[in-house]
Amino acid sequence: MRSEEVREGVERAPHRSLLKACGVTDEELEKPFIAVVNTYAEIVPGHVHLDKVAEAVKAGIRMAGGVPFEVNTIAICDGIAMNTPGMKYSLPSRELVADSIESVVEAHRFDGFVAVVSCDKMVPGALMAAARLDIPAAVVTGGPMEPGRHDGDKVDLIDVFEAVGAVERGEMDEEELRELEDVACPGPGSCAGMFTANTMACMTEVLGMSEFNCAATPAVTAEKLRLAKVTGMRIVEAVEKGVTARDVITREALLDAVAVDMALGGSTNTVLHLLAVAREAGVDLSLDDFDEMSEKVPHICAMRPGGPYTMRDLYEAGGIPAVMKEISDVLHLDRPDYSGRPVSERIERAEIRDRDVIRPKEDPVHEEGGLVILRGSLAPDGAVIKVAALNDDMREHEGPAVVFDSEEEATEAILGGEIDEGDVVVIRYEGPAGGPGMREMLTPTSALCGMGLDDSVALVTDGRFSGGTRGPCVGHVCPEAYRGGPIAVVEEGDTVVLNVNEKRLDLDVPEEEIEDRLERWEPPKDDVKGYLARYRELVSGADEGAVLRPPSSR
């Protein structure tokens, strides 16, 4: 065990003395040391309950004969940061989470760790750390929030974002908006639909890094605490068996995650995060894998924001094991989970309890997967669109570009009524380096929906979207504007052509003209300081997962 390096031998007497200062007994010095990495925070609804979840994990570790040590890392609420400069820190925080877990686990020579995490960047950050460290590791995701109720309908955070546009359009008054904001987010947990936080929880379960049905189990249930205890017990087993994270996070596991992502119609952000996890695990995964899987696996779950169903509905329908059972013919089920048990055991236990929520693959919501990779003269290195939340009438669209160099400018124009039906809103310099930080842009996309333009206006950006975004929104355009991609030289009035059926995103401008514009182009200058300045220098493109590049490749 790694912890022997800090607790055995005469020369480790000082180390033992410090451990005893923390209350560790001589008996405990003979047992495995397990870190419980907690992202508990009082500012993030997905994390406000994780203190209790972590206590359950620690109880399980003790029951199995291990010694738990709770440590902490950061959490950021994307919803609170949205449409502010603070959102620039969201995606970069993923790297901080991974780095901080690596640092505390390596420094103290833990034998294994359990990450108690929630929300968009903390979950992939924990997976990245697990793959990087390659020791026994598991994840307990905090669970989804219950949906709210307003006028008899289920509502969530996205309804509030879209209601802002409805108020601007005169279809809702501010009093009703206040009523909605009071009930849309009724308590702890990650926002109730298949947005990024819950999609990544689902990916974690598919990978085998969390327990059976952990992703869909609501945050404020006794079952969530029981799952946490079981995880604590089984991580000790994993240490004893020598099962490490890279035994679990294999190419087969990642391809299975992509497959389930397609079936769920999950967030576009999973493309970034699964690519990043794959890189840490030393596994080859690319946009081509997403593209190929979208042709193999149909979209079978009409989840919010593209459909009516919430995570509570998915939980009651059988959760992720039931979804995996429905598409089991394309999955690799003989691989191990974090405790060494075969993933096939989970499928054997699964039961599909609601065929409206989990449709038969022969009768899907869409014949293709929920995400489609686009390429073309505007996105030579790829872009992504969530077809699970797309009106079929907008699968093919062309229109004049209305160009903005920031999210704020675009939002102001949309809410100010400056966008016409048929337009293509282009938002650039919001990529990983250009932002810097690749902000989620739920505010402008929700404004388009609230203004009634989601069935007539497309939005194209080198930035990214919330998992709650719906409509014809194309993100992750690569190369990004800041690094000289064609999106940098789109001019007002240029025709942009979106054709999802042909997986194309093109600028209807002659190639020679695009090249001439790029020769004359210069990147904008801005004053970026601190962590974001370092991030800008190190970050790769979205097509590589927006990861920090190693020194040899800079």
Side-chain angles (χ1 to χ4, degrees):
M1 291 188 290
R2 289 158 39 110
S3 59
E4 292 174 355
E5 299 173 38
V6 297
R7 59 183 174 83
E8 290 196 357
V10 173
E11 70 278 11
R12 298 308 185 203
H15 305 64
R16 292 193 296 273
S17 180
L18 291 168
L19 288 166
K20 289 178 178 180
C22 297
V24 177
T25 66
D26 286 328
E27 290 77 13
E28 288 175 313
L29 287 171
E30 302 299 319
K31 299 177 180 181
F33 284 8
I34 310 296
V36 179
V37 184
N38 193 355
T39 57
Y40 167 76
E42 294 183 344
I43 187 65
V44 190
H47 298 244
V48 294
H49 64 303
L50 295 186
D51 53 341
K52 299 177 180 63
V53 178
E55 287 298 329
V57 172
K58 290 188 287 185
I61 291 169
R62 293 189 185 100
M63 285 190 290
V67 184
F69 295 85
E70 186 171 348
V71 296
N72 302 96
T73 187
I74 64 169
I76 288 177
C77 179
D78 286 6
I80 294 174
M82 197 73 67
N83 196 229
T84 76
M87 192 65 199
K88 293 177 183 288
Y89 287 88
S90 172
L91 184 58
S93 74
R94 183 187 70 182
E95 314 306 312
L96 294 175
V97 169
D99 289 352
S100 63
I101 294 175
E102 175 195 359
S103 298
V104 72
V105 170
E106 284 287 75
H108 297 104
R109 314 309 295 155
F110 285 109
D111 299 306
F113 78 90
V114 177
V116 181
V117 292
S118 188
C119 293
D120 304 47
K121 311 310 166 305
M122 287 69 249
V123 176
L127 292 172
M128 290 166 67
R132 186 186 302 173
L133 291 165
D134 194 26
I135 65 173
V139 178
V140 179
T141 50
M145 183 186 293
E146 296 285 2
R149 289 279 178 179
H150 184 251
D151 290 341
D153 297 324
K154 287 184 289 188
V155 294
D156 55 41
L157 179 66
I158 306 309
D159 292 286
V160 186
F161 270 99
E162 294 185 2
V164 174
V167 171
E168 293 293 335
R169 198 180 182 192
E171 294 185 351
M172 178 184 288
D173 60 35
E174 291 189 31
E175 182 179 349
E176 186 177 357
L177 177 61
R178 174 60 66 87
E179 292 174 359
L180 179 60
E181 74 178 63
D182 285 346
V183 299
C185 299
S190 46
C191 300
M194 189 58 71
F195 314 141
T196 306
N198 287 322
T199 308
M200 281 310 303
C202 295
M203 299 299 95
T204 303
E205 186 176 330
V206 177
L207 289 172
M209 289 296 290
S210 64
E211 271 299 318
F212 177 92
N213 215 11
C214 183
T217 300
V220 288
T221 59
E223 184 177 355
K224 176 62 69 177
L225 299 179
R226 293 196 298 270
L227 287 170
K229 285 184 182 178
V230 170
T231 305
M233 295 171 67
R234 287 184 173 170
I235 194 63
V236 178
E237 291 180 23
V239 171
E240 293 168 349
K241 294 177 182 177
V243 180
T244 68
R246 290 196 186 187
D247 294 330
V248 181
I249 306 174
T250 61
R251 176 168 168 80
E252 290 75 21
L254 285 159
L255 289 175
D256 287 357
V258 174
V260 173
D261 197 8
M262 294 300 169
L264 293 170
S267 167
T268 53
N269 285 308
T270 55
V271 178
L272 290 174
H273 298 325
L274 290 177
L275 290 173
V277 173
R279 184 251 200 164
E280 296 289 357
V283 171
D284 180 31
L285 190 74
S286 71
L287 291 180
D288 291 338
D289 292 307
F290 287 84
D291 192 27
E292 292 170 11
M293 198 63 74
S294 73
E295 296 178 356
K296 291 181 182 179
V297 180
H299 173 216
I300 60 173
C301 299
M303 304 293 296
R304 291 273 296 162
Y309 300 115
T310 67
M311 290 297 293
R312 163 60 79 168
D313 298 316
L314 181 62
Y315 170 70
E316 293 176 351
I320 292 304
V323 176
M324 293 177 71
K325 187 169 190 173
E326 182 59 28
I327 62 167
S328 59
D329 59 314
V330 301
L331 302 180
H332 309 82
L333 301 178
D334 58 348
R335 53 188 176 83
D337 72 3
Y338 75 93
S339 68
R341 292 169 172 78
V343 172
S344 58
E345 287 186 5
R346 301 176 179 217
I347 308 306
E348 291 166 4
R349 294 169 57 193
E351 178 185 354
I352 302 172
R353 296 191 288 266
D354 190 331
R355 277 302 190 179
D356 291 329
V357 178
I358 304 173
R359 299 269 287 271
K361 59 180 182 293
E362 296 81 14
D363 182 29
V365 182
H366 296 105
E367 294 291 338
E368 66 199 338
L371 302 177
V372 169
I373 304 300
L374 307 173
R375 287 185 170 85
S377 62
L378 190 51
D381 293 341
V384 62
I385 185 170
K386 183 174 180 175
V387 294
L390 176 66
N391 186 319
D392 285 344
D393 293 338
M394 290 296 289
R395 293 178 68 90
E396 295 184 19
H397 178 80
E398 64 178 80
V402 187
V403 184
F404 304 96
D405 288 346
S406 73
E407 177 189 2
E408 287 85 356
E409 294 174 8
T411 301
E412 183 179 354
I414 293 167
L415 293 176
E418 298 175 24
I419 305 302
D420 298 322
E421 292 185 4
D423 285 346
V424 177
V425 175
V426 176
I427 307 176
R428 61 192 177 197
Y429 300 113
E430 291 287 3
M438 203 180 186
R439 287 188 287 182
E440 279 188 352
M441 291 186 280
L442 181 57
T443 300
T445 60
S446 297
L448 286 173
C449 293
M451 299 287 283
L453 295 171
D454 54 305
D455 59 355
S456 62
V457 172
L459 192 151
V460 175
T461 182
D462 55 4
R464 63 192 180 93
F465 304 120
S466 161
T469 290
R470 61 185 178 92
C473 299
V474 180
H476 307 197
V477 170
C478 295
E480 63 173 289
Y482 188 81
R483 290 186 169 153
I487 192 173
V489 294
V490 178
E491 295 181 356
E492 198 84 7
D494 284 348
T495 299
V496 175
V497 182
L498 168 66
N499 191 322
V500 175
N501 298 323
E502 296 184 5
K503 301 183 179 180
R504 299 285 303 182
L505 180 67
D506 291 291
L507 184 62
D508 190 14
V509 172
E511 183 178 347
E512 298 79 7
E513 172 65 16
I514 295 175
E515 291 176 355
D516 182 62
R517 292 181 188 179
L518 286 171
E519 286 181 5
R520 292 183 277 112
W521 168 84
E522 292 185 1
K525 293 180 173 58
D526 54 8
D527 186 21
V528 178
K529 299 177 181 178
Y531 175 51
L532 292 182
R534 298 196 300 275
Y535 183 83
R536 168 177 280 176
E537 292 297 319
L538 301 178
V539 72
S540 71
D543 58 321
E544 298 178 10
V547 295
L548 300 187
R549 297 172 293 175
S552 59
S553 67
R554 294 171 200 162

